[in-house]
């Protein structure tokens, strides 16, 4: 028997098939082969058509089945990982009413800021563990004001993973972890937040039924099974946002454990067993995949929007045409640490929570036309991304979260030696790389939810550590020096 994991990202949808007995990934595929389009009707907006995710999902699943020569009838359970904080709205016929407002869209910032002030900042932090900020609830408030005709037709609201599951099972359900990432969950009273619903004037009927993160969340309908090439009745037994799921895939489930990713956005994610929040809501706290009211497991999430998207922008627009990311890394490696004085602030992908929801855009500091080349920009981009990680990790340290070891999948920016060595050097932290992905983690989650694995130890027995990167003393000093210049330049802009 096999387990299927589906990871619905903003750049692609990935599908991985895992052998349930060994826990080993057998085959993976993704679609589209080029990065998916993010529509920006206005500056700071970001939308995608949920129907597009479904088409990509079908292609990725069918591609994985074909590549692995696996029959759909052999899939025993399905897990879903998805881009967090997005908003999908459907009518009573389960038809999507407008494009999804996705995670990096900034239009709802004023709504969250006003809610934070009017509900009460201390009260929000004590109950929601966050400011309503730019999350799903605030995005729904924007629709209510600017698209009232659409708002009146809304039957249910969903996160992207809820939508994918609805297309699979015909059922509209969600999870506590999902509701917390949308800032709909009251941790103090363990229920949907009356404060948020009343302040924004939302009916509780808009919220889907709540299911456990692990467990049967519905079964494939006949039509969905045909579209995906799977068996009717196959259960969906797990779903989680991409960052809690990434932590799961790295077996990060307990206090003090840290996971990181460097995809389109960048994330450092740590687990707490007690309430902890940043008073400025620059980092955020959500229910982790194994959270319960009796045994709290809270994920503290640092998210930086402008990470991999900056690196891909450099590849498309500055680097020589047609090169690979590995070749781009080689070009960047010809330049010394500190990029000969260039600092890039990688904040060109919407408002940044780490910067208190300010949108300062990306900027290049210290550029000298006489000495700097595209190779300098390639290195400075990766260093700027790392330095934004360091800036946010310092905030996490202020909350009492010690980061001694970072676990990450051997993917995306963590494939770059410059990125890895700079991150280890500037933070003084050991980095452990593992052979896993979010889609593989979702498949393992499906196995836990289906009862195939009874403990995390059993589920992750096959998780392989493939590399360890330790700080190099001399290089680390140079990284810290470059970071101090970068930080000073950032703080000068923040003062404006």
């Amino acid at each position: 028997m096999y387990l299927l994991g589906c990871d619905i990202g903003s750049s692609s949808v990935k599908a991985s098939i895992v052998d349930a007995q060994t826990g080993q990934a057998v085959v993976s595929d993704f679609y589209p082969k080029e990065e998916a389009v993010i529509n920006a009707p206005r500056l700071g907006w970001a939308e995608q058509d949920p129907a597009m995710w479904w088409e990509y999902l079908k292609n990725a699943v069918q591609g994985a089945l074909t590549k692995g020569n696996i029959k759909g009838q052999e899939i025993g359970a399905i897990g879903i990982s998805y881009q967090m904080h997005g908003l999908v709205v459907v009518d009573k016929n389960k038809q999507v009413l407008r494009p999804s407002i996705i995670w990096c869209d900034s239009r709802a910032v004023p709504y969250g800021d006003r809610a934070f002030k009017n509900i009460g900042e201390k009260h929000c932090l004590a109950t929601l563990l966050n400011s309503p900020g730019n999350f799903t609830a605030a995005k729904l408030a924007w629709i209510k004001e600017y698209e009232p005709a659409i708002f009146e037709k809304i039957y249910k609201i969903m996160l992207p993973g809820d939508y994918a599951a609805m297309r699979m099972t015909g059922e509209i359900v969600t999870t506590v972890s999902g509701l917390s990432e949308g800032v709909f969950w009251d941790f103090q009273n363990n229920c949907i937040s009356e404060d948020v619903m009343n302040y924004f004037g939302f009916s509780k009927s808009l919220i889907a039924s709540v299911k456990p993160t692990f467990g049967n969340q519905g079964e494939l309908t006949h039509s969905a099974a045909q579209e995906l090439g799977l068996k009717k009745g196959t259960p969906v037994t797990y779903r989680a946002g991409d960052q809690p799921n990434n932590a799961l895939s790295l077996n990060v489930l307990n206090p003090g454990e840290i996971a990181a990713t460097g995809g389109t956005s960048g994330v450092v994610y740590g687990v707490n067993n007690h309430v902890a929040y940043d008073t400025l809501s620059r980092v955020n706290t959500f229910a982790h995949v194994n959270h319960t009211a009796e045994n709290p497991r809270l994920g503290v999430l640092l998210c930086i929007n402008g990470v991999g998207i900056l690196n891909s922008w450099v590849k498309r627009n500055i680097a020589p045409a047609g090169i690979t990311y590995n070749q781009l890394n080689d070009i960047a490696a010809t330049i010394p640490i500190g990029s000969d004085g260039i600092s890039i602030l990688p904040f060109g992908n919407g408002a940044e929570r780490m910067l208190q929801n300010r949108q300062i855009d990306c900027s290049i500091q210290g550029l000298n036309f006489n000495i700097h080349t595209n190779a300098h920009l390639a290195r400075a981009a990766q260093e700027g991304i790392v330095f934004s990680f360091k800036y946010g990790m310092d905030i996490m340290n202020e909350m009492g979260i010690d980061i001694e070891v970072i676990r990450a999948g051997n993917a995306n920016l963590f494939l770059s030696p410059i990125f890895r060595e700079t991150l280890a050097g500037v933070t003084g932290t050991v980095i452990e790389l593992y052979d896993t992905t979010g889609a593989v983690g979702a498949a393992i989650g499906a196995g836990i939810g289906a009862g195939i694995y009874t403990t995390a130890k059993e589920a992750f027995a096959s998780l392989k550590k493939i590399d360890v990167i330790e700080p190099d003393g001399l290089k680390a000093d140079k990284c810290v020096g470059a970071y101090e210049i970068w930080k000073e330049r950032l703080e000068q802009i923040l003062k404006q």
Side-chain angles (χ1 to χ4, degrees):
M1 181 175 66
Y2 296 99
L3 303 166
L4 172 64
C6 302
D7 184 8
I8 296 104
S10 51
S11 58
S12 68
V13 173
K14 304 169 186 70
S16 291
I17 298 174
V18 168
D19 184 313
Q21 184 174 1
T22 65
Q24 295 283 349
V26 176
V27 65
S28 297
D29 202 3
F30 68 96
Y31 197 87
K33 302 307 179 183
E34 298 294 330
E35 291 184 13
V37 173
I38 296 176
N39 297 313
R42 295 187 185 180
L43 182 65
W45 291 19
E47 299 182 345
Q48 288 184 321
D49 180 2
M52 176 184 77
W53 302 332
W54 180 246
E55 291 302 314
Y56 294 166
L57 177 60
K58 289 192 295 185
N59 280 285
V61 170
Q62 291 167 5
L65 291 170
T66 300
K67 284 171 65 175
N69 194 26
I70 293 170
K71 296 178 181 178
Q73 291 80 1
E74 297 178 277
I75 302 295
I78 301 169
I80 298 171
S81 167
Y82 60 89
Q83 51 173 298
M84 297 171 70
H85 315 306
L87 172 63
V88 180
V89 294
V90 297
D91 62 18
K92 289 184 178 180
N93 296 317
K94 300 175 184 174
Q95 297 300 304
V96 174
L97 292 168
R98 70 171 325 280
S100 173
I101 303 175
I102 66 170
W103 57 277
C104 55
D105 188 290
S106 304
R107 77 187 75 178
V109 169
Y111 296 85
D113 288 347
R114 287 195 293 269
F116 192 41
K117 180 179 179 180
N118 292 325
I119 294 173
E121 295 181 8
K122 290 184 179 179
H123 187 70
C124 281
L125 293 172
T127 58
L128 306 173
L129 309 187
N130 301 285
S131 159
N134 191 36
F135 299 114
T136 312
K139 291 168 183 171
L140 183 60
W142 183 92
I143 292 178
K144 182 183 179 187
E145 178 167 350
Y146 283 96
E147 298 176 345
I150 288 176
F151 184 83
E152 289 300 318
K153 295 178 183 177
I154 298 174
Y155 170 60
K156 296 291 180 185
I157 64 171
M158 289 180 284
L159 299 158
D162 301 335
Y163 170 81
M166 182 198 76
R167 291 298 299 262
M168 290 181 181
T169 67
E171 299 182 30
I172 302 177
V173 301
T174 192
T175 65
V176 168
S177 181
L179 290 173
S180 76
E181 77 180 62
V183 192
F184 288 106
W185 193 252
D186 181 335
F187 284 91
Q188 200 169 77
N189 297 298
N190 198 38
C191 64
I192 295 167
S193 171
E194 298 276 356
D195 297 311
V196 169
M197 301 305 281
N198 291 338
Y199 174 78
F200 286 125
F202 299 154
S203 168
K204 284 187 181 178
S205 66
L206 295 173
I207 305 295
S209 300
V210 178
K211 294 273 189 175
T213 298
F214 299 98
N216 194 318
Q217 301 176 359
E219 299 176 349
L220 284 191
T221 63
H222 176 74
S223 60
Q226 283 191 318
E227 289 187 80
L228 293 168
L230 302 175
K231 179 178 63 177
K232 178 179 180 289
T234 305
V236 175
T237 55
Y238 166 80
R239 87 181 70 175
D242 50 10
Q243 299 312 323
N245 176 74
N246 178 67
L248 171 77
S249 71
L250 294 162
N251 195 20
V252 170
L253 295 169
N254 296 304
E257 298 174 341
I258 301 292
T261 61
T264 303
S265 63
V267 167
V268 179
Y269 185 98
V271 179
N272 259 344
N273 62 353
H274 61 276
V275 171
Y277 51 79
D278 173 42
T279 56
L280 299 176
S281 207
R282 295 167 296 177
V283 299
N284 303 105
T285 304
F286 306 114
H288 194 31
V289 294
N290 56 340
H291 171 78
T292 64
E294 299 75 26
N295 190 27
R297 290 292 182 268
L298 301 170
V300 179
L301 185 151
L302 160 70
C303 181
I304 306 156
N305 291 350
V307 174
I309 194 169
L310 167 60
N311 204 41
S312 65
W313 184 89
V314 169
K315 180 175 176 290
R316 290 194 311 271
N317 296 285
I318 294 176
I323 70 167
T324 66
Y325 280 110
N326 284 339
Q327 290 169 327
L328 180 62
N329 293 336
D330 291 340
I331 290 171
T334 64
I335 304 302
I337 294 169
S339 305
D340 288 328
I342 292 183
S343 298
I344 295 183
L345 307 181
F347 305 120
N349 193 28
E352 291 284 359
R353 292 198 292 279
M354 183 177 73
L355 306 180
Q356 294 181 260
N357 282 321
R358 288 185 62 180
Q359 184 170 340
I360 66 170
D361 295 325
C362 180
S363 62
I364 301 172
Q365 309 283 321
L367 179 65
N368 185 313
F369 297 139
N370 298 310
I371 63 173
H372 291 137
T373 66
N374 60 3
H376 286 88
L377 293 174
R379 181 171 191 114
Q382 291 201 35
E383 290 183 340
I385 293 165
V386 169
F387 296 158
S388 68
F389 271 57
K390 164 65 174 170
Y391 190 82
M393 289 167 68
D394 286 347
I395 297 170
M396 297 176 75
N397 290 147
E398 292 170 10
M399 295 172 60
I401 298 175
D402 286 330
I403 302 174
E404 297 178 357
V405 177
I406 297 173
R407 296 181 191 170
N410 190 38
N412 300 317
L413 280 167
F414 280 94
L415 293 170
S416 166
I418 290 173
F419 179 83
R420 298 190 307 245
E421 291 168 7
T422 306
L423 182 60
V426 77
T427 61
T429 305
V430 174
I431 299 172
E432 297 178 349
L433 297 182
Y434 291 83
D435 185 16
T436 189
T437 67
V440 171
I444 297 294
I448 296 171
I452 294 168
Y453 308 123
T454 56
T455 64
K457 183 178 180 180
E458 181 183 357
F460 293 100
S462 62
L463 184 62
K464 292 183 178 179
K465 185 191 301 182
I466 59 175
D467 201 359
V468 176
I469 298 91
E470 297 187 0
D472 179 308
L474 182 59
K475 289 182 178 179
D477 289 343
K478 293 179 179 178
C479 290
V480 171
Y483 170 69
E484 291 301 328
I485 294 171
W486 180 94
K487 181 180 177 182
E488 182 179 350
R489 287 168 168 168
L490 170 62
E491 292 180 343
Q492 285 174 352
I493 289 178
L494 293 176
K495 290 176 183 177
Q496 295 175 4

